[in-house]
Amino acid sequence: MAGILAWFWNERFWLPHNVTWADLKNTEEATFPQAEDLYLAFPLAFCMLMVRLIFERFVAKPCAIALNIQANGPQIAQPNAILEKVFTAITKHPDEKRLEGLSKQLDWDVRSIQRWFRQRRNQEKPSTLKRFCESMWKFSFGLYVFTYGVRFLKKTPWLWNTRHCWYNYPYQPLTPDLHYYYILELSFYWSLMFSQFTDIKRKDFGVMFLHHLVSIFLITFSYVNNMARVGTLVLCLHDSADALLEAAKMANYAKFQKICDLLFVMFAMVFITTRLGIFPLWVLNTTLFESWEIVGPYPSWWVFNLLLLVIQGLNCFWSYLIVKIACKAISKGKVSKDDRSDIESSSDEEDSEPPGSNPHAATTTNGTSGTNGYLLPGPCSMDD
């Protein structure tokens, strides 16, 4: 075990040439980041989960009820033993051949059977009330941490000149504000890692899992080797769009369509500007080029920048989805459901038409239902 720890904490990997861990021990004159500080994030993540439960029950839920958001879930599928057996034992998404067989067996038209399966899948989805409470928690935390980050960074020299991230590196003292900011962000991401298995499941679960994992690695990496200054820039920049995203979701769940559309446009502008513009031109420029010039590369420098490039790849993926939604909005005149919706709502399943009736007589909605969950979560939102 001692050999493994010595290998893992090899100074030649973590630190620049001629720097040792002994050089970064705390003294009376200066305090530096210590790896053991990060253990504090685990109990704080647990506390954050407890605070979230209290917040959702005693703050978010009353707000939702005041906005007439009910706890009712999606429409319940008509009980049918044959279809239920197919759904639970064979497939939740029957193909055309199976649909035709069920149609003959039940004397239902194919469209009614398709509607039954959509309604049955949606029965397992969370209610609008639950989605509103989750979004309100993320909105409140996102707004707080972004506000704190801006207030902290505007007093620092590296916000105005990123070369200060590398002057005298790694002998840059750790201030209480910076320590609090880092531990708060790390605790939040750990809480998301734990809660994502019980939160609303969305189609990009795997991508979000990767995002949370990379975010935790980045925060941990940059703290251990004291790249915390540039780390605060990454964190604050990625927090900038999260509150707008969750606010747009809340407006959607409350059926305030115009407010939802406005907030989504604002979110899209901020997200694309910060993630595809400011982040590569400002942050990646300093981590890749200014740091190379002032400090020079070393092994953990390569890993840190590789993780930042992975984050940028995820930014491009989400930006593609946002642009896709925007194109739909332009064509339809409003924001529509995206490809990673947290519910499968569609015009078909909003029909109240009973199985076996004429499908051509059905009435459809225009897709503005408050059950449509059309928005993306923020990484970091580094969200998110």
Side-chain angles (χ1 to χ4, degrees):
M1 180 61 68
I4 293 174
L5 289 175
W7 170 82
F8 181 81
W9 292 111
N10 190 310
E11 294 163 337
R12 298 287 59 81
F13 170 81
W14 288 96
L15 301 173
H17 185 61
N18 291 331
V19 180
T20 67
W21 292 120
D23 298 329
L24 297 178
K25 287 294 183 181
N26 292 333
T27 65
E28 294 182 0
E29 292 76 22
T31 300
F32 300 103
Q34 306 296 313
E36 54 268 24
D37 298 345
L38 300 178
Y39 290 130
L40 182 61
F42 293 104
L44 288 179
F46 177 78
C47 292
M48 202 169 287
L49 290 173
M50 295 302 100
V51 171
R52 172 180 173 173
L53 292 175
I54 296 171
F55 177 89
E56 290 186 355
R57 181 170 182 178
F58 295 104
V59 179
K61 186 175 180 179
C63 290
I65 294 173
L67 292 170
N68 295 319
I69 298 175
Q70 302 300 319
N72 299 332
Q75 183 177 352
I76 303 299
Q78 174 182 339
N80 186 288
I82 295 175
L83 295 180
E84 184 68 25
K85 184 177 180 180
V86 173
F87 182 87
T88 55
I90 302 176
T91 178
K92 297 181 180 181
H93 300 270
D95 56 22
E96 184 177 347
K97 183 178 180 180
R98 190 176 298 278
L99 288 170
E100 291 175 355
L102 290 170
S103 177
K104 294 177 182 179
Q105 184 178 357
L106 296 171
D107 195 25
W108 287 12
D109 58 82
V110 171
R111 186 181 178 189
S112 296
I113 297 174
Q114 289 175 322
R115 183 181 305 109
W116 188 94
F117 274 92
R118 280 193 295 270
Q119 291 174 347
R120 182 63 182 84
R121 289 192 297 267
N122 283 338
Q123 281 180 218
E124 301 178 353
K125 305 291 183 176
S127 67
T128 304
L129 178 64
K130 178 175 173 61
R131 297 198 302 275
F132 180 91
C133 292
E134 179 181 314
S135 289
M136 189 169 181
W137 161 252
K138 292 181 179 178
F139 165 80
S140 301
F141 181 85
L143 183 62
Y144 167 74
V145 75
F146 176 67
T147 302
Y148 179 88
V150 170
R151 292 182 60 186
F152 164 67
L153 284 172
K154 70 180 184 180
K155 299 180 292 185
T156 64
W158 61 87
L159 175 66
W160 315 105
N161 182 356
T162 54
R163 297 178 71 87
H164 281 278
C165 292
W166 313 108
Y167 291 152
N168 198 37
Y169 175 83
Y171 306 105
Q172 298 167 340
L174 178 70
T175 65
D177 288 344
L178 194 155
H179 178 260
Y180 171 77
Y181 189 26
Y182 249 69
I183 296 299
L184 181 67
E185 291 274 14
L186 183 60
S187 302
F188 179 67
Y189 279 108
W190 273 119
S191 73
L192 290 181
M193 282 290 289
F194 301 143
S195 68
Q196 66 182 334
F197 299 101
T198 56
D199 285 345
I200 297 167
K201 296 295 189 299
R202 295 182 171 89
K203 292 180 181 179
D204 68 343
F205 174 86
V207 177
M208 285 307 300
F209 181 84
L210 175 63
H211 170 267
H212 298 333
L213 198 62
V214 172
S215 299
I216 289 172
F217 275 132
L218 268 171
I219 295 172
T220 302
F221 236 86
S222 57
Y223 188 87
V224 169
N225 64 3
N226 206 12
M227 289 185 178
R229 290 187 175 184
V230 74
T232 59
L233 300 180
V234 176
L235 289 170
C236 190
L237 194 64
H238 281 77
D239 288 337
S240 59
D242 289 354
L244 288 171
L245 168 65
E246 301 302 336
K249 284 186 180 182
M250 290 190 294
N252 182 52
Y253 301 145
K255 300 184 180 180
F256 298 147
Q257 189 63 45
K258 291 184 178 179
I259 297 177
C260 170
D261 292 345
L262 176 62
L263 288 169
F264 178 77
V265 170
M266 294 171 61
F267 159 73
M269 293 175 61
V270 172
F271 187 96
I272 293 174
T273 300
T274 55
R275 308 296 177 91
L276 299 187
I278 298 175
F279 181 67
L281 297 178
W282 187 47
V283 175
L284 291 182
N285 175 69
T286 190
T287 60
L288 287 170
F289 303 111
E290 291 180 347
S291 64
W292 183 295
E293 177 187 344
I294 298 172
V295 179
Y298 51 98
S300 69
W301 178 95
W302 291 100
V303 175
F304 180 71
N305 279 286
L306 177 62
L307 292 173
L308 287 178
L309 291 174
V310 171
I311 289 291
Q312 183 60 11
L314 295 174
N315 290 339
C316 293
F317 169 75
W318 282 311
S319 296
Y320 160 75
L321 294 182
I322 292 171
V323 171
K324 189 175 180 180
I325 299 170
C327 292
K328 290 182 180 179
I330 293 172
S331 63
K332 296 182 180 180
K334 59 178 172 58
V335 173
S336 62
K337 184 174 74 74
D338 78 348
D339 291 332
R340 43 95 58 203
S341 170
D342 52 16
I343 193 166
E344 293 185 48
S345 179
S346 71
S347 60
D348 287 342
E349 69 190 338
E350 296 298 330
D351 287 340
S352 58
E353 166 195 6
S357 65
N358 181 5
H360 299 292
T363 57
T364 60
T365 67
N366 61 7
T368 59
S369 169
T371 62
N372 286 351
Y374 64 91
L375 293 173
L376 315 172
C380 70
S381 178
M382 243 176 168
D383 133 285
D384 134 183

mmCIF file of all heavy atoms in Angstrom, residues 155-189:
data_model
loop_
_atom_site.group_PDB
_atom_site.id
_atom_site.type_symbol
_atom_site.label_atom_id
_atom_site.label_comp_id
_atom_site.label_asym_id
_atom_site.label_seq_id
_atom_site.Cartn_x
_atom_site.Cartn_y
_atom_site.Cartn_z
ATOM 1 N N LYS A 155 -12.622 40.550 -7.297
ATOM 2 C CA LYS A 155 -11.585 41.115 -6.429
ATOM 3 C C LYS A 155 -10.213 40.507 -6.701
ATOM 4 O O LYS A 155 -9.236 40.888 -6.058
ATOM 5 C CB LYS A 155 -11.962 40.883 -4.956
ATOM 6 C CG LYS A 155 -13.274 41.527 -4.528
ATOM 7 C CD LYS A 155 -13.593 41.260 -3.071
ATOM 8 C CE LYS A 155 -13.905 39.801 -2.817
ATOM 9 N NZ LYS A 155 -14.337 39.549 -1.400
ATOM 10 N N THR A 156 -10.149 39.564 -7.636
ATOM 11 C CA THR A 156 -8.890 38.873 -7.893
ATOM 12 C C THR A 156 -8.196 39.424 -9.131
ATOM 13 O O THR A 156 -8.865 39.824 -10.097
ATOM 14 C CB THR A 156 -9.137 37.365 -8.090
ATOM 15 O OG1 THR A 156 -9.944 37.170 -9.261
ATOM 16 C CG2 THR A 156 -9.854 36.781 -6.890
ATOM 17 N N PRO A 157 -6.868 39.409 -9.153
ATOM 18 C CA PRO A 157 -6.166 39.929 -10.334
ATOM 19 C C PRO A 157 -6.262 39.000 -11.541
ATOM 20 O O PRO A 157 -6.191 39.452 -12.686
ATOM 21 C CB PRO A 157 -4.711 40.052 -9.855
ATOM 22 C CG PRO A 157 -4.591 39.082 -8.732
ATOM 23 C CD PRO A 157 -5.939 39.081 -8.062
ATOM 24 N N TRP A 158 -6.457 37.670 -11.327
ATOM 25 C CA TRP A 158 -6.460 36.750 -12.464
ATOM 26 C C TRP A 158 -7.747 36.793 -13.279
ATOM 27 O O TRP A 158 -7.787 36.275 -14.388
ATOM 28 C CB TRP A 158 -6.145 35.330 -12.013
ATOM 29 C CG TRP A 158 -7.093 34.711 -11.025
ATOM 30 C CD1 TRP A 158 -8.242 34.019 -11.284
ATOM 31 C CD2 TRP A 158 -6.943 34.700 -9.600
ATOM 32 N NE1 TRP A 158 -8.820 33.580 -10.126
ATOM 33 C CE2 TRP A 158 -8.035 33.970 -9.075
ATOM 34 C CE3 TRP A 158 -5.982 35.207 -8.721
ATOM 35 C CZ2 TRP A 158 -8.202 33.756 -7.696
ATOM 36 C CZ3 TRP A 158 -6.160 35.001 -7.365
ATOM 37 C CH2 TRP A 158 -7.253 34.295 -6.867
ATOM 38 N N LEU A 159 -8.795 37.423 -12.729
ATOM 39 C CA LEU A 159 -9.991 37.606 -13.554
ATOM 40 C C LEU A 159 -9.707 38.587 -14.683
ATOM 41 O O LEU A 159 -10.190 38.412 -15.812
ATOM 42 C CB LEU A 159 -11.157 38.116 -12.694
ATOM 43 C CG LEU A 159 -12.435 38.468 -13.464
ATOM 44 C CD1 LEU A 159 -13.053 37.222 -14.088
ATOM 45 C CD2 LEU A 159 -13.444 39.163 -12.556
ATOM 46 N N TRP A 160 -8.911 39.612 -14.391
ATOM 47 C CA TRP A 160 -8.652 40.673 -15.370
ATOM 48 C C TRP A 160 -7.421 40.385 -16.223
ATOM 49 O O TRP A 160 -7.287 40.898 -17.328
ATOM 50 C CB TRP A 160 -8.485 42.001 -14.617
ATOM 51 C CG TRP A 160 -9.551 42.181 -13.572
ATOM 52 C CD1 TRP A 160 -9.423 42.053 -12.222
ATOM 53 C CD2 TRP A 160 -10.941 42.464 -13.808
ATOM 54 N NE1 TRP A 160 -10.621 42.241 -11.589
ATOM 55 C CE2 TRP A 160 -11.574 42.507 -12.538
ATOM 56 C CE3 TRP A 160 -11.697 42.688 -14.955
ATOM 57 C CZ2 TRP A 160 -12.933 42.770 -12.398
ATOM 58 C CZ3 TRP A 160 -13.055 42.943 -14.810
ATOM 59 C CH2 TRP A 160 -13.645 42.979 -13.551
ATOM 60 N N ASN A 161 -6.521 39.571 -15.702
ATOM 61 C CA ASN A 161 -5.331 39.196 -16.454
ATOM 62 C C ASN A 161 -5.011 37.737 -16.127
ATOM 63 O O ASN A 161 -4.475 37.431 -15.060
ATOM 64 C CB ASN A 161 -4.152 40.100 -16.094
ATOM 65 C CG ASN A 161 -2.898 39.774 -16.897
ATOM 66 O OD1 ASN A 161 -2.879 38.828 -17.683
ATOM 67 N ND2 ASN A 161 -1.840 40.545 -16.699
ATOM 68 N N THR A 162 -5.346 36.832 -17.039
ATOM 69 C CA THR A 162 -5.225 35.401 -16.751
ATOM 70 C C THR A 162 -3.788 34.938 -16.544
ATOM 71 O O THR A 162 -3.558 33.850 -16.005
ATOM 72 C CB THR A 162 -5.859 34.578 -17.890
ATOM 73 O OG1 THR A 162 -5.287 34.974 -19.149
ATOM 74 C CG2 THR A 162 -7.360 34.775 -17.937
ATOM 75 N N ARG A 163 -2.817 35.739 -16.933
ATOM 76 C CA ARG A 163 -1.423 35.355 -16.700
ATOM 77 C C ARG A 163 -1.111 35.284 -15.203
ATOM 78 O O ARG A 163 -0.167 34.584 -14.794
ATOM 79 C CB ARG A 163 -0.473 36.333 -17.406
ATOM 80 C CG ARG A 163 -0.636 36.331 -18.923
ATOM 81 C CD ARG A 163 0.282 37.354 -19.574
ATOM 82 N NE ARG A 163 1.680 36.950 -19.518
ATOM 83 C CZ ARG A 163 2.275 36.181 -20.417
ATOM 84 N NH1 ARG A 163 1.590 35.705 -21.451
ATOM 85 N NH2 ARG A 163 3.546 35.862 -20.302
ATOM 86 N N HIS A 164 -1.912 35.977 -14.372
ATOM 87 C CA HIS A 164 -1.739 35.898 -12.918
ATOM 88 C C HIS A 164 -2.064 34.507 -12.381
ATOM 89 O O HIS A 164 -1.724 34.201 -11.233
ATOM 90 C CB HIS A 164 -2.611 36.947 -12.225
ATOM 91 C CG HIS A 164 -2.028 38.327 -12.258
ATOM 92 N ND1 HIS A 164 -1.075 38.747 -11.360
ATOM 93 C CD2 HIS A 164 -2.261 39.368 -13.093
ATOM 94 C CE1 HIS A 164 -0.744 40.003 -11.633
ATOM 95 N NE2 HIS A 164 -1.446 40.403 -12.680
ATOM 96 N N CYS A 165 -2.740 33.684 -13.188
ATOM 97 C CA CYS A 165 -2.985 32.302 -12.770
ATOM 98 C C CYS A 165 -1.687 31.513 -12.667
ATOM 99 O O CYS A 165 -1.630 30.487 -11.969
ATOM 100 C CB CYS A 165 -3.913 31.599 -13.769
ATOM 101 S SG CYS A 165 -5.605 32.220 -13.813
ATOM 102 N N TRP A 166 -0.626 32.001 -13.336
ATOM 103 C CA TRP A 166 0.611 31.226 -13.437
ATOM 104 C C TRP A 166 1.823 31.932 -12.852
ATOM 105 O O TRP A 166 2.865 31.288 -12.677
ATOM 106 C CB TRP A 166 0.879 30.889 -14.911
ATOM 107 C CG TRP A 166 -0.352 30.363 -15.564
ATOM 108 C CD1 TRP A 166 -1.134 30.984 -16.487
ATOM 109 C CD2 TRP A 166 -0.985 29.097 -15.305
ATOM 110 N NE1 TRP A 166 -2.207 30.199 -16.837
ATOM 111 C CE2 TRP A 166 -2.133 29.027 -16.130
ATOM 112 C CE3 TRP A 166 -0.676 28.012 -14.480
ATOM 113 C CZ2 TRP A 166 -2.982 27.923 -16.130
ATOM 114 C CZ3 TRP A 166 -1.520 26.911 -14.480
ATOM 115 C CH2 TRP A 166 -2.658 26.884 -15.302
ATOM 116 N N TYR A 167 1.707 33.216 -12.556
ATOM 117 C CA TYR A 167 2.829 33.897 -11.905
ATOM 118 C C TYR A 167 3.076 33.271 -10.532
ATOM 119 O O TYR A 167 2.138 33.080 -9.742
ATOM 120 C CB TYR A 167 2.528 35.393 -11.747
ATOM 121 C CG TYR A 167 2.493 36.168 -13.046
ATOM 122 C CD1 TYR A 167 1.714 37.316 -13.186
ATOM 123 C CD2 TYR A 167 3.256 35.780 -14.150
ATOM 124 C CE1 TYR A 167 1.685 38.045 -14.369
ATOM 125 C CE2 TYR A 167 3.235 36.492 -15.333
ATOM 126 C CZ TYR A 167 2.447 37.612 -15.436
ATOM 127 O OH TYR A 167 2.416 38.325 -16.625
ATOM 128 N N ASN A 168 4.330 32.952 -10.251
ATOM 129 C CA ASN A 168 4.736 32.358 -8.970
ATOM 130 C C ASN A 168 4.064 31.010 -8.713
ATOM 131 O O ASN A 168 3.943 30.572 -7.564
ATOM 132 C CB ASN A 168 4.435 33.305 -7.801
ATOM 133 C CG ASN A 168 5.228 32.936 -6.557
ATOM 134 O OD1 ASN A 168 6.380 32.529 -6.652
ATOM 135 N ND2 ASN A 168 4.608 33.073 -5.401
ATOM 136 N N TYR A 169 3.623 30.343 -9.752
ATOM 137 C CA TYR A 169 3.012 29.024 -9.596
ATOM 138 C C TYR A 169 4.113 27.991 -9.300
ATOM 139 O O TYR A 169 5.194 28.070 -9.896
ATOM 140 C CB TYR A 169 2.267 28.635 -10.882
ATOM 141 C CG TYR A 169 1.710 27.241 -10.840
ATOM 142 C CD1 TYR A 169 0.493 26.979 -10.221
ATOM 143 C CD2 TYR A 169 2.425 26.168 -11.369
ATOM 144 C CE1 TYR A 169 0.002 25.688 -10.152
ATOM 145 C CE2 TYR A 169 1.943 24.874 -11.309
ATOM 146 C CZ TYR A 169 0.729 24.640 -10.693
ATOM 147 O OH TYR A 169 0.249 23.366 -10.624
ATOM 148 N N PRO A 170 3.881 27.032 -8.381
ATOM 149 C CA PRO A 170 2.638 26.753 -7.640
ATOM 150 C C PRO A 170 2.595 27.368 -6.251
ATOM 151 O O PRO A 170 1.766 26.966 -5.434
ATOM 152 C CB PRO A 170 2.676 25.226 -7.544
ATOM 153 C CG PRO A 170 4.127 24.918 -7.360
ATOM 154 C CD PRO A 170 4.862 25.943 -8.202
ATOM 155 N N TYR A 171 3.460 28.327 -5.978
ATOM 156 C CA TYR A 171 3.538 28.912 -4.634
ATOM 157 C C TYR A 171 2.514 30.037 -4.477
ATOM 158 O O TYR A 171 2.862 31.173 -4.140
ATOM 159 C CB TYR A 171 4.960 29.405 -4.355
ATOM 160 C CG TYR A 171 6.011 28.345 -4.575
ATOM 161 C CD1 TYR A 171 6.835 28.376 -5.693
ATOM 162 C CD2 TYR A 171 6.160 27.299 -3.671
ATOM 163 C CE1 TYR A 171 7.798 27.398 -5.905
ATOM 164 C CE2 TYR A 171 7.118 26.312 -3.875
ATOM 165 C CZ TYR A 171 7.928 26.363 -4.998
ATOM 166 O OH TYR A 171 8.870 25.385 -5.206
ATOM 167 N N GLN A 172 1.271 29.716 -4.737
ATOM 168 C CA GLN A 172 0.190 30.695 -4.626
ATOM 169 C C GLN A 172 -0.653 30.343 -3.404
ATOM 170 O O GLN A 172 -1.218 29.246 -3.328
ATOM 171 C CB GLN A 172 -0.666 30.674 -5.894
ATOM 172 C CG GLN A 172 0.124 31.053 -7.148
ATOM 173 C CD GLN A 172 -0.629 30.731 -8.432
ATOM 174 O OE1 GLN A 172 -1.539 29.917 -8.452
ATOM 175 N NE2 GLN A 172 -0.225 31.361 -9.522
ATOM 176 N N PRO A 173 -0.741 31.235 -2.430
ATOM 177 C CA PRO A 173 -1.441 30.907 -1.176
ATOM 178 C C PRO A 173 -2.935 30.669 -1.395
ATOM 179 O O PRO A 173 -3.554 31.250 -2.279
ATOM 180 C CB PRO A 173 -1.185 32.128 -0.295
ATOM 181 C CG PRO A 173 -0.856 33.236 -1.246
ATOM 182 C CD PRO A 173 -0.182 32.599 -2.410
ATOM 183 N N LEU A 174 -3.483 29.797 -0.561
ATOM 184 C CA LEU A 174 -4.909 29.477 -0.593
ATOM 185 C C LEU A 174 -5.645 30.397 0.369
ATOM 186 O O LEU A 174 -5.381 30.389 1.565
ATOM 187 C CB LEU A 174 -5.118 28.013 -0.190
ATOM 188 C CG LEU A 174 -6.561 27.531 -0.115
ATOM 189 C CD1 LEU A 174 -7.175 27.448 -1.517
ATOM 190 C CD2 LEU A 174 -6.635 26.175 0.585
ATOM 191 N N THR A 175 -6.582 31.182 -0.145
ATOM 192 C CA THR A 175 -7.365 32.082 0.696
ATOM 193 C C THR A 175 -8.625 31.371 1.188
ATOM 194 O O THR A 175 -9.100 30.418 0.562
ATOM 195 C CB THR A 175 -7.763 33.349 -0.071
ATOM 196 O OG1 THR A 175 -8.651 32.974 -1.150
ATOM 197 C CG2 THR A 175 -6.540 34.043 -0.646
ATOM 198 N N PRO A 176 -9.205 31.825 2.301
ATOM 199 C CA PRO A 176 -10.443 31.192 2.799
ATOM 200 C C PRO A 176 -11.577 31.235 1.780
ATOM 201 O O PRO A 176 -12.335 30.254 1.658
ATOM 202 C CB PRO A 176 -10.770 32.013 4.052
ATOM 203 C CG PRO A 176 -9.450 32.558 4.510
ATOM 204 C CD PRO A 176 -8.678 32.829 3.249
ATOM 205 N N ASP A 177 -11.720 32.340 1.050
ATOM 206 C CA ASP A 177 -12.791 32.443 0.053
ATOM 207 C C ASP A 177 -12.618 31.424 -1.058
ATOM 208 O O ASP A 177 -13.590 30.803 -1.505
ATOM 209 C CB ASP A 177 -12.826 33.853 -0.541
ATOM 210 C CG ASP A 177 -13.341 34.884 0.432
ATOM 211 O OD1 ASP A 177 -13.946 34.479 1.450
ATOM 212 O OD2 ASP A 177 -13.145 36.090 0.198
ATOM 213 N N LEU A 178 -11.384 31.259 -1.533
ATOM 214 C CA LEU A 178 -11.130 30.302 -2.602
ATOM 215 C C LEU A 178 -11.370 28.872 -2.103
ATOM 216 O O LEU A 178 -11.955 28.045 -2.818
ATOM 217 C CB LEU A 178 -9.699 30.461 -3.119
ATOM 218 C CG LEU A 178 -9.344 29.785 -4.449
ATOM 219 C CD1 LEU A 178 -8.169 30.506 -5.116
ATOM 220 C CD2 LEU A 178 -8.995 28.321 -4.283
ATOM 221 N N HIS A 179 -10.935 28.591 -0.885
ATOM 222 C CA HIS A 179 -11.147 27.257 -0.306
ATOM 223 C C HIS A 179 -12.638 26.955 -0.189
ATOM 224 O O HIS A 179 -13.104 25.850 -0.549
ATOM 225 C CB HIS A 179 -10.473 27.190 1.065
ATOM 226 C CG HIS A 179 -10.670 25.884 1.767
ATOM 227 N ND1 HIS A 179 -11.612 25.716 2.762
ATOM 228 C CD2 HIS A 179 -10.062 24.676 1.615
ATOM 229 C CE1 HIS A 179 -11.571 24.467 3.196
ATOM 230 N NE2 HIS A 179 -10.643 23.816 2.521
ATOM 231 N N TYR A 180 -13.409 27.907 0.298
ATOM 232 C CA TYR A 180 -14.856 27.715 0.438
ATOM 233 C C TYR A 180 -15.507 27.484 -0.916
ATOM 234 O O TYR A 180 -16.357 26.587 -1.072
ATOM 235 C CB TYR A 180 -15.457 28.952 1.112
ATOM 236 C CG TYR A 180 -16.979 28.961 1.120
ATOM 237 C CD1 TYR A 180 -17.691 28.168 2.014
ATOM 238 C CD2 TYR A 180 -17.681 29.757 0.222
ATOM 239 C CE1 TYR A 180 -19.080 28.172 2.018
ATOM 240 C CE2 TYR A 180 -19.065 29.774 0.219
ATOM 241 C CZ TYR A 180 -19.758 28.977 1.114
ATOM 242 O OH TYR A 180 -21.138 28.983 1.106
ATOM 243 N N TYR A 181 -15.112 28.265 -1.902
ATOM 244 C CA TYR A 181 -15.671 28.154 -3.249
ATOM 245 C C TYR A 181 -15.426 26.757 -3.828
ATOM 246 O O TYR A 181 -16.332 26.109 -4.364
ATOM 247 C CB TYR A 181 -15.038 29.234 -4.127
ATOM 248 C CG TYR A 181 -15.656 29.405 -5.496
ATOM 249 C CD1 TYR A 181 -16.969 29.067 -5.754
ATOM 250 C CD2 TYR A 181 -14.897 29.937 -6.546
ATOM 251 C CE1 TYR A 181 -17.530 29.248 -7.016
ATOM 252 C CE2 TYR A 181 -15.445 30.131 -7.809
ATOM 253 C CZ TYR A 181 -16.768 29.783 -8.034
ATOM 254 O OH TYR A 181 -17.315 29.961 -9.279
ATOM 255 N N TYR A 182 -14.211 26.278 -3.684
ATOM 256 C CA TYR A 182 -13.848 24.970 -4.234
ATOM 257 C C TYR A 182 -14.581 23.834 -3.523
ATOM 258 O O TYR A 182 -15.132 22.926 -4.167
ATOM 259 C CB TYR A 182 -12.336 24.756 -4.139
ATOM 260 C CG TYR A 182 -11.662 24.750 -5.483
ATOM 261 C CD1 TYR A 182 -11.572 25.920 -6.237
ATOM 262 C CD2 TYR A 182 -11.141 23.590 -6.028
ATOM 263 C CE1 TYR A 182 -10.964 25.929 -7.472
ATOM 264 C CE2 TYR A 182 -10.523 23.580 -7.260
ATOM 265 C CZ TYR A 182 -10.439 24.753 -7.986
ATOM 266 O OH TYR A 182 -9.849 24.753 -9.222
ATOM 267 N N ILE A 183 -14.604 23.855 -2.204
ATOM 268 C CA ILE A 183 -15.245 22.779 -1.451
ATOM 269 C C ILE A 183 -16.748 22.794 -1.700
ATOM 270 O O ILE A 183 -17.393 21.736 -1.806
ATOM 271 C CB ILE A 183 -14.940 22.908 0.053
ATOM 272 C CG1 ILE A 183 -13.437 22.736 0.303
ATOM 273 C CG2 ILE A 183 -15.730 21.883 0.851
ATOM 274 C CD1 ILE A 183 -12.890 21.387 -0.127
ATOM 275 N N LEU A 184 -17.336 23.971 -1.830
ATOM 276 C CA LEU A 184 -18.774 24.069 -2.116
ATOM 277 C C LEU A 184 -19.099 23.448 -3.466
ATOM 278 O O LEU A 184 -20.046 22.658 -3.590
ATOM 279 C CB LEU A 184 -19.193 25.543 -2.093
ATOM 280 C CG LEU A 184 -20.684 25.829 -2.343
ATOM 281 C CD1 LEU A 184 -21.517 25.299 -1.185
ATOM 282 C CD2 LEU A 184 -20.912 27.325 -2.529
ATOM 283 N N GLU A 185 -18.315 23.784 -4.482
ATOM 284 C CA GLU A 185 -18.552 23.237 -5.817
ATOM 285 C C GLU A 185 -18.333 21.722 -5.836
ATOM 286 O O GLU A 185 -19.129 20.973 -6.421
ATOM 287 C CB GLU A 185 -17.622 23.912 -6.833
ATOM 288 C CG GLU A 185 -17.932 25.373 -7.115
ATOM 289 C CD GLU A 185 -18.988 25.536 -8.212
ATOM 290 O OE1 GLU A 185 -19.655 24.543 -8.552
ATOM 291 O OE2 GLU A 185 -19.128 26.654 -8.723
ATOM 292 N N LEU A 186 -17.264 21.262 -5.215
ATOM 293 C CA LEU A 186 -16.976 19.831 -5.197
ATOM 294 C C LEU A 186 -18.077 19.068 -4.466
ATOM 295 O O LEU A 186 -18.501 17.991 -4.910
ATOM 296 C CB LEU A 186 -15.620 19.574 -4.543
ATOM 297 C CG LEU A 186 -15.142 18.117 -4.523
ATOM 298 C CD1 LEU A 186 -15.015 17.565 -5.944
ATOM 299 C CD2 LEU A 186 -13.809 18.001 -3.792
ATOM 300 N N SER A 187 -18.554 19.613 -3.360
ATOM 301 C CA SER A 187 -19.633 18.962 -2.608
ATOM 302 C C SER A 187 -20.889 18.865 -3.451
ATOM 303 O O SER A 187 -21.596 17.843 -3.429
ATOM 304 C CB SER A 187 -19.924 19.748 -1.331
ATOM 305 O OG SER A 187 -18.785 19.850 -0.521
ATOM 306 N N PHE A 188 -21.182 19.915 -4.210
ATOM 307 C CA PHE A 188 -22.378 19.901 -5.047
ATOM 308 C C PHE A 188 -22.280 18.819 -6.122
ATOM 309 O O PHE A 188 -23.236 18.080 -6.366
ATOM 310 C CB PHE A 188 -22.585 21.272 -5.685
ATOM 311 C CG PHE A 188 -23.796 21.333 -6.578
ATOM 312 C CD1 PHE A 188 -25.073 21.229 -6.046
ATOM 313 C CD2 PHE A 188 -23.657 21.483 -7.951
ATOM 314 C CE1 PHE A 188 -26.193 21.281 -6.863
ATOM 315 C CE2 PHE A 188 -24.771 21.533 -8.771
ATOM 316 C CZ PHE A 188 -26.040 21.433 -8.232
ATOM 317 N N TYR A 189 -21.118 18.710 -6.752
ATOM 318 C CA TYR A 189 -20.970 17.703 -7.793
ATOM 319 C C TYR A 189 -21.006 16.289 -7.235
ATOM 320 O O TYR A 189 -21.528 15.375 -7.880
ATOM 321 C CB TYR A 189 -19.693 17.943 -8.603
ATOM 322 C CG TYR A 189 -19.900 19.014 -9.638
ATOM 323 C CD1 TYR A 189 -19.329 20.277 -9.495
ATOM 324 C CD2 TYR A 189 -20.690 18.775 -10.756
ATOM 325 C CE1 TYR A 189 -19.545 21.264 -10.442
ATOM 326 C CE2 TYR A 189 -20.912 19.762 -11.703
ATOM 327 C CZ TYR A 189 -20.330 21.000 -11.538
ATOM 328 O OH TYR A 189 -20.556 21.974 -12.464
#
